[in-house]
């Protein structure tokens, strides 16, 4: 706008405080711009009306055509002030059309193929359509197709398409929880695990990404009762490195699962430690800070149990690769790396191990942690490990004189 002009307040979205291009009414009777309220509602964290604070009981958004026409007329009347006319928005897909599409798909395999093709087209058009599909129950419909993969071999290609669609729907937290708890549509975690085991390359990646999203909203009891096969397939995805996104998603799954119950033991039994160390040795994996960070978090958790420490020390490069990550990735990675070394140094110390740690530069790295700007907790752990084995390390001829003089007492 070329000149300052007062905009009628009822044309402004209560969220964005900008002119509403596509005004819609929610169940509480308040009008918002579609884009703003969809971001608010479908972030998965907010289910209340921003203005009234009341729960929005119906996710359907009703277009406010009257307000839109008034806004368009006002824009036209004020065109001389540089106000641009708001174009008439394209109507989103109708809920009843989606419901009919799903209902008709039950009659034959051909109709299911046709239905998925149409759903793919709808998903690709815009974000609003994704929300309409969600309200119409499409995620649950797709989950049912995915769960039938082990029942009917002819469903494999349909399952792959349904899996891709379900991932690209970017479902809200509410829907993901429904999928996790919906036994009628089959056990979604079990179905995804099967695909991770036997699916094609692309489907295994989508299954891993979906599993990450679903387990993020699971409650502790659901996480603690997961079968060992879930850990086996997640570790296999890490080992196969089918894609960078799938590898990060699989690592994220382990970060989510390992704090609970006996999940650390399940992860160790699945071979997670050896695979993670091999990943850390891979420069392409370490090029992105987040990957090594998560890897160190998982190693720290796994080394808190005896089986984990034993598996860690069974890998010839374990101490060296963890030592290398200190002060080279991030504060989080450094802290977790020091914790790993403290765990093995406290519970598994042997003359051979202590000598290996000295030879590999662990002691020098711990001194560096004490000297530079680093987290206080990380420094405390480094100091604890140095003091724990002072008798061996302080008197070693391998240790430089300046370090011997500065050795913590």
């Amino acid at each position: 706008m070329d000149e300052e002009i007062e905009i009628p307040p009822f044309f402004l979205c209560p969220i964005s405080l900008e002119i509403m291009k596509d005004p819609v009414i929610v169940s509480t009777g308040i009008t918002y711009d579609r884009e703003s309220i969809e971001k608010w509602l479908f972030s998965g964290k907010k289910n209340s009306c921003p203005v009234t604070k009341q729960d929005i009981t119906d996710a359907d958004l009703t277009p406010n055509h009257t307000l839109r026409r008034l806004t368009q007329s006002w824009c036209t009347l004020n065109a001389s002030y540089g106000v641009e006319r708001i174009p008439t928005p394209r109507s989103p897909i109708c809920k009843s059309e989606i419901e009919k599409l799903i209902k008709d798909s039950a009659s034959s395999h051909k109709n299911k193929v046709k239905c998925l093709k149409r759903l793919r087209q709808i998903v690709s058009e815009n974000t609003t359509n994704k929300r309409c599909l969600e309200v119409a129950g499409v995620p649950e419909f797709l989950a049912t197709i995915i769960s039938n993969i082990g029942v009917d071999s002819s469903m494999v290609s349909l399952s792959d398409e349904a899996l891709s669609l379900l991932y690209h729907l970017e479902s809200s937290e509410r829907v993901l929880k429904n999928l996790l708890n919906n036994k009628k549509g089959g056990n979604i975690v079990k179905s995804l695990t099967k695909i991770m085991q036997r699916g094609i390359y692309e489907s295994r990646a989508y299954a891993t990404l979906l599993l990450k999203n679903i387990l993020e909203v699971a409650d502790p009891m659901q996480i603690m009762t997961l079968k060992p096969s879930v850990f086996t397939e997640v570790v296999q995805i890490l080992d196969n490195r089918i894609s960078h996104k799938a590898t990060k998603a699989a690592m994220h799954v382990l970060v989510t699962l390992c704090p609970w119950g006996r999940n650390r033991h399940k992860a160790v039994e699945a071979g997670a430690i050896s695979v993670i160390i091999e990943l850390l040795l891979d420069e392409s994996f370490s090029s992105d800070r987040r990957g090594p960070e998560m890897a160190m978090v998982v190693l720290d958790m796994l080394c808190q149990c005896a089986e984990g420490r034993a598996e860690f020390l069974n890998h010839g490069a374990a101490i060296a690769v963890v030592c290398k990550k200190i002060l080279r990735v991030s504060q989080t990675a450094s802290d977790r790396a020091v914790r790993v070394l403290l765990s093995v140094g406290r519970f598994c110390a042997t003359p051979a191990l202590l000598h290996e740690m000295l030879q590999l530069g662990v002691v020098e790295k711990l001194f560096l942690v004490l000297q530079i700007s680093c987290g206080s907790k990380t420094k405390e752990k480094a100091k604890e490990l140095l003091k724990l084995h002072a008798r061996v390390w302080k008197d070693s001829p391998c240790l430089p004189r300046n370090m011997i003089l500065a050795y913590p007492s």
Side-chain angles (χ1 to χ4, degrees):
M1 289 182 284
D2 296 332
E3 296 180 33
E4 285 295 325
I5 184 170
E6 187 176 347
I7 302 170
F10 46 86
F11 290 167
L12 302 176
C13 173
I15 298 174
S16 67
L17 300 180
E18 295 179 357
I19 294 178
M20 290 182 275
K21 298 177 181 178
D22 187 6
V24 291
I25 308 168
V26 299
S27 59
T28 59
I30 305 297
T31 296
Y32 299 94
D33 190 49
R34 184 185 292 278
E35 184 181 357
S36 297
I37 193 61
E38 282 184 344
K39 282 182 181 177
W40 175 277
L41 288 176
F42 298 107
S43 65
K45 297 176 182 177
K46 305 179 182 77
N47 294 309
S48 60
C49 174
V51 172
T52 67
K53 309 303 179 189
Q54 296 173 320
D55 285 343
I56 295 177
T57 54
D58 189 346
D60 274 343
L61 304 174
T62 307
N64 191 334
H65 295 301
T66 303
L67 183 58
R68 177 180 52 76
R69 292 189 189 105
L70 284 171
T71 306
Q72 287 175 324
S73 298
W74 180 85
C75 289
T76 302
L77 288 170
N78 290 278
S80 60
Y81 293 98
V83 178
E84 295 181 8
R85 186 181 184 278
I86 294 169
T88 302
R90 183 177 177 181
S91 298
I93 196 74
C94 179
K95 180 183 175 182
S96 58
E97 181 188 337
I98 302 300
E99 290 172 339
K100 184 178 185 303
L101 201 60
I102 293 173
K103 186 178 178 182
D104 292 346
S105 72
S107 60
S108 68
H109 184 275
K110 184 179 178 181
N111 279 353
K112 277 192 174 67
V113 173
K114 183 180 176 183
C115 173
L116 292 180
K117 187 177 180 180
R118 174 65 180 135
L119 289 175
R120 168 73 69 181
Q121 182 184 12
I122 293 167
V123 166
S124 65
E125 287 176 357
N126 53 53
T127 304
T128 299
N129 281 352
K130 291 182 182 181
R131 304 288 72 88
C132 292
L133 295 179
E134 188 171 290
V135 171
V138 168
E140 291 78 7
F141 166 68
L142 296 173
T144 302
I145 294 177
I146 294 166
S147 68
N148 288 332
I149 187 171
V151 179
D152 184 354
S153 59
S154 68
M155 295 287 287
V156 173
S157 60
L158 278 179
S159 176
D160 290 338
E161 178 63 16
L163 182 67
S164 172
L165 270 170
L166 185 54
Y167 172 71
H168 286 106
L169 267 179
E170 300 172 329
S171 299
S172 65
E173 183 178 326
R174 177 185 61 81
V175 169
L176 292 174
K177 282 184 176 179
N178 287 345
L179 292 178
L180 192 58
N181 298 317
N182 181 20
K183 301 305 176 188
K184 184 180 176 183
N187 185 322
I188 187 67
V189 172
K190 184 178 179 181
S191 300
L192 293 175
T193 305
K194 278 185 180 178
I195 294 168
M196 289 163 68
Q197 181 184 18
R198 292 180 278 185
I200 61 173
Y201 165 89
E202 190 175 34
S203 293
R204 291 180 72 204
Y206 282 135
T208 308
L209 292 163
L210 266 174
L211 184 68
K212 167 192 166 287
N213 294 342
I214 287 171
L215 291 178
E216 281 180 334
V217 303
D219 62 50
M221 187 55 67
Q222 289 170 319
I223 289 175
M224 286 189 283
T225 54
L226 288 171
K227 299 203 182 301
S229 58
V230 175
F231 295 84
T232 301
E233 298 313 321
V234 169
V235 171
Q236 194 61 52
I237 293 291
L238 286 175
D239 193 29
N240 293 162
R241 307 178 201 183
I242 57 176
S243 76
H244 186 63
K245 284 181 73 173
T247 299
K248 283 182 70 176
M251 194 68 76
H252 201 288
V253 169
L254 290 180
V255 171
T256 302
L257 301 185
C258 286
W260 301 97
R262 288 188 56 79
N263 287 347
R264 283 178 298 183
H265 302 272
K266 295 174 190 175
V268 171
E269 287 165 10
I273 287 181
S274 176
V275 170
I276 289 172
I277 292 167
E278 290 297 325
L279 271 172
L280 287 168
L281 288 166
D282 184 346
E283 290 299 326
S284 62
F285 175 74
S286 298
S287 62
D288 177 13
R289 187 184 78 173
R290 187 61 182 142
E293 268 187 357
M294 289 193 290
M296 295 310 308
V297 168
V298 176
L299 279 181
D300 174 30
M301 289 189 281
L302 299 187
C303 284
Q304 289 171 25
C305 66
E307 300 97 317
R309 291 189 291 272
E311 285 299 311
F312 178 81
L313 293 175
N314 276 342
H315 195 293
I319 298 289
V321 77
V322 169
C323 177
K324 186 179 179 182
K325 298 304 173 187
I326 298 174
L327 305 177
R328 293 189 65 173
V329 179
S330 68
Q331 173 58 47
T332 299
S334 295
D335 180 62
R336 295 294 182 148
V338 171
R339 285 168 61 115
V340 169
L341 295 173
L342 179 59
S343 289
V344 296
R346 179 186 288 154
F347 298 107
C348 308
T350 62
L353 176 63
L354 296 180
H355 180 69
E356 181 187 0
M357 293 174 84
L358 188 63
Q359 291 291 101
L360 291 173
V362 170
V363 178
E364 286 151 44
K365 262 292 173 71
L366 295 175
F367 266 99
L368 271 177
V369 167
L370 295 180
Q371 290 167 7
I372 69 166
S373 178
C374 205
S376 58
K377 288 186 177 180
T378 309
K379 289 188 176 190
E380 285 171 17
K381 291 178 180 63
K383 193 172 185 178
E384 182 182 348
L385 183 53
L386 285 169
K387 289 170 73 174
L388 191 63
H389 300 298
R391 186 173 297 178
V392 176
W393 289 339
K394 190 175 181 181
D395 297 333
S396 171
C398 299
L399 200 66
R401 179 170 172 76
N402 64 317
M403 289 189 184
I404 294 173
L405 294 173
Y407 207 97
S409 55

